[in-house]
Amino acid sequence: MPVIAVEYTYSSETAAARDEVRPDHRAWLSGLVDAGTVLSTGPYADGSGALILVSAADENAARALFEADPFARAGLIDGARFTEWRPIMGAFVSS
């Protein structure tokens, strides 16, 4: 199954609201990690956004899945980029 790189961008104006919603956002992501859908996730060190690697049928399936993200439902994501990624070597290559 393809890997989709989901890149979120955030603004400083939504930082306080993200802090409030973050427990729900992380619980949602945790369920996707447990299901094997999210391969890895984490914020950028400068707080400007996050990278989430997702196993999905295609970009449209990943977009549909991420509509349920509590951050998205609360309008706390300034931008989201979905890009199919084809790992050749390393931890995310299927055997």
Side-chain angles (χ1 to χ4, degrees):
M1 189 165 295
V3 175
I4 309 298
V6 180
E7 297 176 86
Y8 280 176
T9 54
Y10 306 136
S11 68
S12 58
E13 290 80 20
T14 60
R18 283 195 320 277
D19 288 345
E20 290 178 25
V21 178
R22 186 168 286 113
D24 293 336
H25 167 73
R26 287 193 174 166
W28 177 78
L29 284 170
S30 180
L32 293 175
V33 168
D34 291 347
T37 302
V38 168
L39 306 174
S40 190
T41 182
Y44 295 131
D46 66 1
S48 66
L51 174 65
I52 308 162
L53 298 178
V54 180
S55 178
D58 56 30
E59 180 184 325
N60 289 332
R63 285 182 183 277
L65 176 68
F66 276 76
E67 290 175 1
D69 183 346
F71 275 4
R73 291 187 2 240
L76 301 174
I77 302 165
D78 286 2
R81 180 177 175 207
F82 292 75
T83 307
E84 185 172 336
W85 179 53
R86 296 183 182 153
I88 302 299
M89 291 183 246
F92 300 106
V93 176
S94 299
S95 300

